[in-house]
Amino acid sequence: MSDLQPWRNPRPAPQLPEMQPHLRKLLIPSWLRAWWPAIAWACIIFTLSTDSFSSEHTASILSPVIHWLFPRLSQDQFDFVHHLIRKSAHFTEYFIFCLLLYRGVRGDRKGWRWTWGIAALSVAAGYSIMDEIHQAFVASRTASPYDSLLDSIGAFFAFAFLWLWFRFRRPKDDSLQDQVSDPTSAASL
């Protein structure tokens, strides 16, 4: 039959499992796949800077929980624990934000580049400054350069974590390539 129709392609049409990876790339641009977690986290940080998450509101939520865990806690002790929880949240939210920014800057590429890490750290530090400026315009919040510094320290720790992660984590395929390319290691096998 193919002799009767030489113009027909002998290869059959692709099936859905073969096309699914290509469809996902067509439907969602690669830059959006890389950046959406960082953008979503920036929106969460912005929301946490509103009146709803002021010290008075978080105290009313945390007070029953902490007093249930520690019934003999005095008000001064509760205030100290509440302060520690809020400052830990500053550190943690910007640690995560810097990780997500690095993911966005890196995109589809692999590994570590100093420029990618510095870009993620710079954007996180800049966003922490903008976040404190935003809090200056919220009546129940106060802007503090110390909070911005704490945010930037959290981002710096994420930067250092990423550098250490990529420095000491070697893919298995690379270690095999090194053994094959190094004649001294091949002789020892």
Side-chain angles (χ1 to χ4, degrees):
M1 182 147 192
S2 64
D3 294 334
L4 299 176
Q5 299 173 350
W7 51 269
R8 290 192 72 174
N9 186 354
R11 183 175 182 268
Q15 299 298 316
L16 184 60
E18 183 182 351
M19 290 302 296
Q20 278 178 335
H22 301 291
L23 287 175
R24 190 181 76 185
K25 289 181 181 177
L26 290 174
L27 296 176
I28 302 171
S30 62
W31 69 268
L32 184 59
R33 279 184 280 134
W35 282 100
W36 79 263
I39 294 168
W41 195 254
C43 292
I44 289 170
I45 290 173
F46 184 82
T47 304
L48 293 174
S49 296
T50 61
D51 175 60
S52 300
F53 292 93
S54 66
S55 181
E56 293 81 23
H57 288 98
T58 58
S60 65
I61 294 170
L62 290 175
S63 180
V65 174
I66 292 176
H67 281 113
W68 179 75
L69 291 171
F70 307 104
R72 298 186 189 271
L73 208 62
S74 70
Q75 186 60 36
D76 289 337
Q77 292 171 330
F78 170 76
D79 291 341
F80 179 72
V81 169
H82 182 240
H83 179 76
L84 285 179
I85 290 171
R86 290 182 59 82
K87 297 309 170 189
S88 298
H90 275 276
F91 180 90
T92 305
E93 69 186 5
Y94 278 88
F95 183 94
I96 294 169
F97 189 46
C98 188
L99 294 177
L100 296 175
L101 285 169
Y102 183 81
R103 179 186 187 272
V105 170
R106 186 176 74 168
D108 291 337
R109 300 166 292 201
K110 302 288 182 204
W112 167 262
R113 296 282 187 273
W114 281 100
T115 53
W116 301 342
I118 291 170
L121 178 61
S122 300
V123 170
Y127 195 79
S128 74
I129 293 168
M130 297 303 294
D131 184 43
E132 292 302 318
I133 291 171
H134 168 245
Q135 288 182 21
F137 292 101
V138 177
S140 62
R141 304 298 298 261
T142 57
S144 169
Y146 297 112
D147 285 348
S148 181
L149 179 64
L150 184 60
D151 297 339
S152 298
I153 289 171
F156 178 77
F157 270 79
F159 173 83
F161 170 79
L162 284 168
W163 181 78
L164 289 170
W165 175 264
F166 285 110
R167 174 102 169 117
F168 295 113
R169 185 182 149 264
R170 294 189 56 126
K172 295 176 185 175
D173 296 334
D174 287 350
S175 62
L176 291 175
Q177 287 290 344
D178 291 343
Q179 289 177 357
V180 171
S181 63
D182 187 15
T184 58
S185 66
S188 64
L189 292 175

